[in-house]
Amino acid sequence: MEEALVLPDYLDLSPELRKRFESIAARETILEVSHLRKEFPGMENRPPILGDISFEVKRREFICVIGASGCGKSTMLRMLGGLEPCTAGEVRVSGKSVHGPGADRGMVFQEYTLFPWLTVKKNVMFGPRMAGQGRDSSEAEALQWLEMVGLADRVDAYPNQLSGGMKQRVAIARALANYPDILLMDEPFGALDAQTRSQMQRHLLQIWRNVDVTILFVTHDLDEAIFLADRIVVLGAHPGRILEIIQVPVDRPRSQAQALSPHFLAVKKRLEQLIHPEDPDAVKSLPMIRMARVGTEAEP
Amino acid sequence: MIVKHLSPVTGLPHADPSNSAVTHAASKSMSTTTQKTPRRGNGGWLQVRKPLSRKKSLWLAQGAFLLPLLLWCAISYVPFLWHPMITVQNPGSVDYFQPGMQVDRAEFKEQNQKQIDHGGLPATGTRENPVYLPAPHRVAKALVTAFLTPPIRDGEPWLHESLGHSIRIIFLGFLFSAVLGIPLGLLCGTFALVSKLGEPFVDFVRYMPAPAFGALSVAILGIDDAPKVAIIFVGTFFQMVLVLANTTRSLPIPLLEAAQTLGAGRRQLLMNVVVPGVLPMLYRDMRILLGWAWTYLIVAELIGASSGISFFIYQQAKYRNYDNVYAAIILIGLIGLGTDLILKGLGRVFFPWEKDKG
């Protein structure tokens, strides 16, 4: 538990950042994952999808989870969301053990999950309405969140009239309207084009600064993870396990320009090492790709 | 070395015929430079999976009705195209010919040949189509006169009464099936328990043709309208449950998961996600099923005390008033098409978010 918060020794933190991380560490724990394990039935003799995962997330922390494909990062997020049962281990949110999905853990998915039959406003009202709030108060709530994500002028549009980026902004507003303890995001910008994607990243940081919410963000994009996170949880595959938890030594508020700072690049290099370890044997064993006909005939 | 084969300077394929990969690549790149200019307008009439313009679609929709009508007109009004019968005008010396009688052309020719051989008087007549294919203008006239002609016997219904009766049977049968079938279909598609418990039996009954229950339903429900409504019910209900269950299952799971993470419980998932989520597709299914109800109507109306439009058709055929028969069949088609168009239009009002999907 404690070693997860030890600073990696290959990076130096600025004094402000050190202070920030100390203050974060002193906050209450929102999410507590202990010895989480996942096996799919009928595959017991293979390595489990997730081996033995334990970590903690503090209040208002921004955590990114990164890993090569197949390391079980999405499965882990779904388990935290209660959409997938755990084989062993426990997930606690604000001290309460998680059994099944609930409004205290908002989720934003990679695929668009807005309800097509509801207008933007009514999509955001969905959570408060489910919780038994009246029509007027949920509407006021929805309008406030839509203003925050910059969609106050599209409240009466249907989801299929929105662009991909707008849809995900509505999805974020919809999740936040429940005042969740933690927001679980599963590659939410994965389907967006590069430009919209970086716009959405900045937008998400802005929202996060203004709202008391903890975010756990799954991605496979290294730059995205470093740009967003306080800490990055790096997962390895077969079995899925935590390789390292990296504190990102980049000052806040973040800007695109920092992507070239030595700290940013150092983290990126470390992530590359962890996720794509250089294995000379593996490279050699790759079959040589050549244009058989052209190549052979070209030989004199 | 590779460069030599793909020389961009000449842009020509290598002469060596064995070098087909390179030849292919080079000729491909050349053909792009000499591309034909695209045709004007939004492309021709035949394009793979491309929608046609609104104007073209309208033309074709009219053609869909005009073409069969033209064919019918041609066969009816151009004598040498078909006209396999001869209506006798003057029977001549043929014993059994009567004026106005229809005879096969071969038979007519044979009889006349006989008369000529034996010095008798040949019959005369005009080529015509058989009685069962009346000309379009006669059917068009029948569409009006069928409504104005009083029933042949006292106490029998007028045509509009028969039609009204048919529509009432369909409405009642379909209503009963919808009231039971929609909730059951939704539950089957939502809960595996209901599906496993209900669907095998429904699937079993579905294979039994609805008319097979005719005698039974008369024995149980009497000879009036009840057994007819029951046939429509049996014919549509079991199909409806299975079709709607499958439609319900096509709702994307992520929508349900998203709703759960927003705090929706089981009941709320059903009422606030499943039901509104599948409603437009369900509505489309019901439109198709309503068409099936008309199919079962024809059987339903002939069991017990015959009634409705099918009885009218049956009776008119007996009297050999085929123009009325066609008129009645066309009426059924028009009513079906009309209701479907109205329901389609209403669907656009009910489900505004489906607008872009057509």
Side-chain angles (χ1 to χ4, degrees), chain A residues 126-135 137-138, chain B residues 268:
Chain A
F126 188 87
R129 293 290 286 158
M130 290 299 108
Q133 253 188 62
R135 185 174 296 274
S137 75
S138 1
Chain B
Q268 290 167 319

Side-chain angles (χ1 to χ4, degrees), chain B residues 184 187-189 191-200:
Chain B
L184 196 59
L187 288 175
C188 278
F191 299 110
L193 176 101
V194 186
S195 160
K196 294 284 177 255
L197 194 66
E199 278 187 58

Side-chain angles (χ1 to χ4, degrees), chain B residues 212-227:
Chain B
F213 293 93
L216 205 59
S217 55
V218 170
I220 298 169
L221 298 166
I223 58 162
D224 291 328
D225 288 354

Side-chain angles (χ1 to χ4, degrees), chain A residues 78 81 83 101-103 105-107 109 111-117 123 126-127 129-131 158 160-161 174-175 178 291 293-295 297-300, chain B residues 1-2 4-6 16 18-22 251 254-265 268 272-274 276-278 352-357:
Chain A
R78 287 173 59 80
L83 296 172
R105 284 148 293 138
M107 270 187 99
F109 301 80
E111 61 264 46
Y112 305 126
T113 55
L114 296 184
F115 305 123
W117 59 91
N123 260 288
F126 188 87
R129 293 290 286 158
M130 290 299 108
Y158 282 103
N160 68 356
Q161 299 168 318
R174 185 175 69 170
N178 274 336
M291 295 174 73
R293 300 185 85 144
V294 180
E297 292 206 7
E299 293 297 326
Chain B
M1 280 166 285
I2 295 168
K4 189 173 86 188
H5 286 263
L6 290 169
D16 186 353
S18 71
N19 213 342
S20 64
V22 177
L251 185 76
L255 287 185
L256 292 166
E257 291 183 341
Q260 282 178 294
T261 63
L262 291 168
Q268 290 167 319
N272 296 11
V273 182
V274 175
V278 301
W353 64 93
E354 293 273 293
K355 219 177 270 170
D356 302 343
K357 290 186 198 160

